[in-house]
Amino acid sequence: MRPARLTVVAAASLVAALTAVTGCAEKSGAGGDGAIKVAASDTACDVSKTEFPAGKVQIDVENKGSKVTELYVLFPDDRIVTERENIGPGTKASLTAEIKAGDYEVVCKPGMKGDGIRTNVKVTGQASGEKRSPEADAAVAAYRQYVVAQAEETLPRAQAFADAVKAGDVEAAKKAYAASRIGWERTEPVAESFGDIDPKVDVREDGLEAGQDPAKDWTGWHRLEKSLWADNTIGDAEKKLADTLIADLTEWQKKVGQAEITPTSMANGAKELLDEVATGKVTGEEERYSHTDLVDFKANVEGAEKAYELLKPIASKNDPALAQQLDTRFAALNTLLDKYRADKAGYDFTSYDKVGEPERKELSDGVNALAEPLSKLAASVAK
């Protein structure tokens, strides 16, 4: 999980507010005469239009500040409509979304932390919808089955981890830890769509919001990870946290089948999983105590590849060159990851603290090589 991360997949109760297609940050962003311009800086988030018609909306962002920023369009209760992360100083980004009528907020997050700088906007009228193709319906149905299955498989693995913690068995808990996270990591963009479940179960200590006390407010896997590896101990507090983890994951499992899923949210979610790898796993930040980053890395890649494989019939038809490139890049990254696993059918990976800087750069280069064409998948399936 990245700190304060939001997702393009909304809960079913939000009634499918959009279909988003996100572009890549670049030195010279796309223009568009009717685009909404956002000038972001370290202290401002200036939006050129605060009222605009529903339908296909293009937002062009320029980061004029000194810090990396993020842009969000949010519902009034902070649930996500669309987003663009990691917009570097001096760069531009462009994103396109289908947005229904309603009230929203445009938010810039300099430094990618906190509540951000917010501007209220109003979307008026009613957008015309298009009927999905049979291939798109099949992809969505199959992906929904996949995320439900991942949640169902996660619970017994997480229960085994929690049972070891509650028994005070540090070594057994360490052995069960990484496996308990695989299903979550494969489907993280969907998992993060349900309000505060994600920060309850997957936040790192440096991802806590300002004013939160780690001793009181930090829960979930990474809190227990620190106790197991950094402190090498299990106390009464950790045993209670194990029960809390299971309760929160059970809530996730009950909700996940209700997630609003579209072909473009699947595609954007696949790209988000690669972003997770680039910003957390390759750097070693995600599993900083256990060093099980490569297990998460592999799970993220598997989740992204699953979404792509389900969308491939559409992508192959609309952009065969892109599909061929994605096939090649996924295969190359999987081959690279296989160098660090003892069993190619399992999840016994090299401890990440044993992976040197040259090898980490090689992994990073493999992720970046895949992320670039993967960022075009949403646009391909939206044609």
Side-chain angles (χ1 to χ4, degrees):
M1 172 191 173
R2 287 196 296 274
R5 174 164 174 205
L6 295 168
T7 177
V8 294
V9 184
S13 59
L14 299 181
V15 199
L18 72 126
T19 299
V21 181
T22 305
C24 295
E26 52 189 18
K27 285 289 181 183
S28 56
D33 293 336
I36 298 162
K37 308 289 186 181
V38 177
S41 70
D42 298 346
T43 57
C45 185
D46 296 327
V47 183
S48 64
K49 299 177 184 177
T50 56
E51 185 170 325
F52 46 87
K56 188 176 182 181
V57 177
Q58 180 176 328
I59 304 175
D60 293 339
V61 191
E62 181 175 5
N63 184 1
K64 299 181 177 181
S66 63
K67 302 176 182 178
V68 176
T69 195
E70 299 172 333
L71 180 84
Y72 298 98
V73 179
L74 302 178
F75 289 97
D77 59 4
D78 273 10
R79 283 172 287 189
I80 192 69
V81 176
T82 191
E83 56 143 337
R84 180 69 177 96
E85 299 175 338
N86 298 316
I87 307 170
T91 65
K92 297 178 180 180
S94 181
L95 60 98
T96 303
E98 283 283 340
I99 306 180
K100 291 186 175 182
D103 295 322
Y104 303 93
E105 288 181 318
V106 174
V107 183
C108 301
K109 275 194 178 182
M112 302 191 296
K113 287 190 175 183
D115 292 333
I117 304 165
R118 300 179 174 227
T119 300
N120 293 323
V121 297
K122 189 177 190 66
V123 181
T124 60
Q126 187 171 358
S128 59
E130 293 184 9
K131 187 177 180 181
R132 275 204 309 242
S133 68
E135 293 90 348
D137 283 338
V140 168
Y143 189 68
R144 188 181 303 282
Q145 292 175 353
Y146 175 72
V147 297
V148 169
Q150 293 305 307
E152 290 175 345
E153 291 172 13
T154 294
L155 277 180
R157 292 173 179 172
Q159 188 64 63
F161 170 64
D163 289 345
V165 172
K166 291 167 67 177
D169 191 334
V170 172
E171 291 307 312
K174 286 180 176 180
K175 289 179 181 178
Y177 171 77
S180 74
R181 293 175 48 74
I182 291 171
W184 175 275
E185 292 290 336
R186 285 172 176 161
T187 59
E188 206 164 353
V190 177
E192 290 179 346
S193 70
F194 301 107
D196 61 354
I197 294 177
D198 177 66
K200 285 180 179 179
V201 305
D202 197 33
V203 73
R204 302 191 303 263
E205 186 172 8
D206 56 358
L208 294 172
E209 295 293 339
Q212 288 188 305
D213 182 355
K216 297 178 182 178
D217 302 317
W218 188 19
T219 60
W221 271 303
H222 294 303
R223 167 66 178 80
L224 292 167
E225 179 203 6
K226 183 178 181 181
S227 294
L228 292 169
W229 273 272
D231 304 330
N232 202 41
T233 187
I234 296 172
D236 290 341
E238 285 73 31
K239 293 177 182 180
K240 291 179 181 178
L241 285 169
D243 282 333
T244 301
L245 175 65
I246 296 302
D248 291 334
L249 289 174
T250 300
E251 181 183 357
W252 161 58
Q253 187 270 330
K254 289 178 179 177
K255 290 182 174 181
V256 72
Q258 303 170 12
E260 181 61 36
I261 297 172
T262 67
T264 45
S265 75
M266 290 168 59
N268 284 326
K271 175 58 167 60
E272 287 174 32
L273 286 170
L274 263 291
D275 290 342
E276 284 281 341
V277 175
T279 59
K281 281 68 174 184
V282 167
T283 62
E285 295 175 47
E286 181 81 2
E287 306 290 359
R288 61 192 63 175
Y289 307 110
S290 66
H291 305 300
T292 56
D293 303 88
L294 288 174
V295 178
D296 290 359
F297 190 141
K298 180 62 175 177
N300 284 158
V301 173
E302 286 177 337
E305 189 167 18
K306 180 66 175 183
Y308 163 61
E309 289 293 341
L310 292 174
L311 293 169
K312 186 175 175 180
I314 305 170
S316 296
K317 183 188 300 182
N318 294 343
D319 193 341
L322 176 64
Q324 184 176 17
Q325 188 178 25
L326 286 170
D327 287 341
T328 300
R329 297 287 170 82
F330 268 116
L333 185 55
N334 281 318
T335 298
L336 189 57
L337 275 169
D338 283 344
K339 292 168 56 176
Y340 300 95
R341 61 197 302 190
D343 178 0
K344 291 187 178 182
Y347 287 83
D348 184 11
F349 281 89
T350 301
S351 180
Y352 203 57
D353 59 334
K354 308 298 183 186
V355 179
E357 287 304 320
E359 291 75 21
R360 291 188 182 200
K361 184 180 185 304
E362 184 181 32
L363 287 165
S364 179
D365 289 345
V367 171
N368 292 335
L370 172 58
E372 190 277 327
L374 194 59
S375 69
K376 301 174 182 177
L377 181 60
S380 172
V381 301
K383 287 182 179 178

